[in-house]
Amino acid sequence: MAKPRVNKLTSGHNLLWESSRMMLPEHKERIVGHRESLKRMARPVLDEQEMEELALKVGESLETGRPVTLKLYGEFAEREVTGVVTKVDPQAGRIRLRTARGDVWTALRDVIGAE
């Protein structure tokens, strides 16, 4: 009687992957990091009209004390902050908002919209 041929599909034998059954922690970290990098969002570029509209809304909030909702860029997701603009610091490139949780500074370059 002839012996059955042993191949990668033979029950109990996995010759093709025999030497690579173990995954090192470094490999797992790299795979997880790669998956996260695929989820990153590119920073949107605002045109002149959008920037003017944004400046008007921020300026109006600063002058009148009305709350404004700023849409902020995030690497993985956008976020929103609602409050009254109390200071704009163009030298440092940031805006201070008075929110229900207290004062919050945010970078001007992260602001991508206002309502």
Side-chain angles (χ1 to χ4, degrees), residues 66-91:
R66 286 191 193 139
V68 66
T69 300
L70 297 180
K71 194 181 296 184
L72 305 174
Y73 166 78
E75 242 183 308
F76 298 104
E78 294 177 355
R79 57 190 176 99
E80 292 184 347
V81 177
T82 302
V84 176
V85 177
T86 57
K87 185 172 183 175
V88 177
D89 187 357
Q91 303 314 66

Side-chain angles (χ1 to χ4, degrees), residues 41-111:
M41 295 174 32
R43 184 182 299 272
V45 178
L46 303 178
D47 63 11
E48 284 185 41
Q49 185 178 359
E50 291 173 321
M51 290 176 72
E52 284 178 22
E53 189 178 314
L54 215 135
L56 285 172
K57 290 180 180 177
V58 168
E60 182 183 327
S61 177
L62 184 62
E63 289 177 16
T64 63
R66 286 191 193 139
V68 66
T69 300
L70 297 180
K71 194 181 296 184
L72 305 174
Y73 166 78
E75 242 183 308
F76 298 104
E78 294 177 355
R79 57 190 176 99
E80 292 184 347
V81 177
T82 302
V84 176
V85 177
T86 57
K87 185 172 183 175
V88 177
D89 187 357
Q91 303 314 66
R94 60 187 187 164
I95 297 176
R96 182 172 64 194
L97 290 162
R98 181 172 298 124
T99 66
R101 296 181 180 177
D103 286 0
V104 175
W105 284 97
T106 185
L108 281 171
R109 64 186 179 94
D110 288 344
V111 179

